[in-house]
Amino acid sequence: MTSAPRRPARMKYVLFDVDGTLIDAVSNQRRVWETWAGRYGLDPDEVYRVALRTRPMETFAQVAADRDPSEGLALLHELEDEDVRSGVYTAFHGASELLHGLPRGAWALVTSNYEHRVRGRFVRTGLPVPEVIVDAAAVEEGKPSPVPYLQAAARLGALPADCLVIEDAPSGVRSGIRAGMTVWGVNAAAAVEGVHRHFVSLREAVPHILAWTSGPPGNAAV
């Protein structure tokens, strides 16, 4: 009598936000928006305050409603691309250890930025680049829609229940939860509403994320 062949074990996957989660880009974002505001003669503090909670086109509508939004967006893209080339970027402590410790093909990036900028920042910080990057150009609906995380799972060949989302922002947390995934929050003093688990820093979360990937697949929220 021969035993039935074993089914291959289901993998578990980790989907990462980028800015604020793996890379500290706060000073870069502030500098870009301050320069943008200066070109239009606007109050940089007010522009940055609005930009933190809105998408670029919504920001333009609030702070520069009398200006051509396409012109404003082109300038913003120009400044962001220049910042990737010349700005100073820092990966959060633990990011390199974590990403190098995950199996290739078992993780992805899901960002509201653009892939070429993400790649540039990863080169600058020495972080490995995954096979799958879902950026702003890849989806019509951005976070907090579940679409970006669902697309990442599909491209990895993963079930949502087998995916762990690592996020720092409320919109990203809502996106992951709506996608039916486990969501852990990092790099914040207080937990974002809805997260299944919270860590003050990415460094603190590293061993738990690596342990999660080796556990049984399914809804393992803690």
Side-chain angles (χ1 to χ4, degrees):
M1 179 181 295
T2 58
S3 60
R6 291 185 178 180
R7 293 183 179 178
R10 275 164 51 193
M11 286 181 62
K12 299 180 75 175
Y13 301 82
V14 187
L15 311 180
F16 295 96
D17 173 52
V18 178
D19 294 341
T21 297
L22 295 173
I23 292 181
D24 186 355
V26 171
S27 61
N28 303 78
Q29 292 169 341
R30 177 180 284 277
R31 183 166 53 250
V32 164
W33 278 110
E34 286 178 347
T35 303
W36 186 93
R39 298 282 184 90
Y40 286 99
L42 301 171
D43 179 353
D45 291 333
E46 173 63 14
V47 169
Y48 185 64
R49 183 186 66 78
V50 175
L52 279 177
R53 55 184 174 78
T54 59
R55 298 177 184 177
M57 297 302 281
E58 296 167 342
T59 301
F60 306 153
Q62 289 193 40
V63 304
D66 59 334
R67 305 298 181 92
D68 180 358
S70 61
E71 176 185 294
L73 187 61
L75 174 59
L76 181 65
H77 285 333
E78 175 187 322
L79 294 173
E80 289 182 326
D81 287 344
E82 175 56 34
D83 185 71
V84 171
R85 291 189 292 269
S86 61
V88 177
Y89 285 91
T90 303
F92 283 107
H93 292 302
S96 181
E97 173 193 344
L98 173 58
L99 299 186
H100 280 101
L102 292 170
R104 189 161 183 83
W107 62 283
L109 302 177
V110 182
T111 175
S112 298
N113 212 318
Y114 289 87
E115 182 171 345
H116 72 279
R117 293 189 195 125
V118 171
R119 288 183 177 277
R121 292 175 180 183
F122 271 47
V123 168
R124 299 288 299 280
T125 55
L127 296 178
V129 178
E131 296 173 356
V132 173
I133 300 176
V134 175
D135 71 345
V139 294
E140 293 186 4
E141 296 180 38
K143 303 172 187 177
S145 164
V147 169
Y149 279 111
L150 289 174
Q151 183 178 128
R155 289 173 60 181
L156 287 169
L159 297 174
D162 294 338
C163 294
L164 171 64
V165 169
I166 306 299
E167 270 280 0
D168 73 299
S171 62
V173 168
R174 290 196 297 273
S175 177
I177 290 173
R178 290 173 179 175
M181 300 173 181
T182 298
V183 182
W184 290 357
V186 298
N187 298 332
V192 175
E193 183 180 357
V195 294
H196 297 104
R197 195 168 182 180
H198 168 69
F199 299 91
V200 173
S201 68
L202 179 67
R203 168 71 265 178
E204 179 187 343
V206 168
H208 302 279
I209 296 170
L210 293 175
W212 189 91
T213 62
S214 61
N219 289 310
V222 295

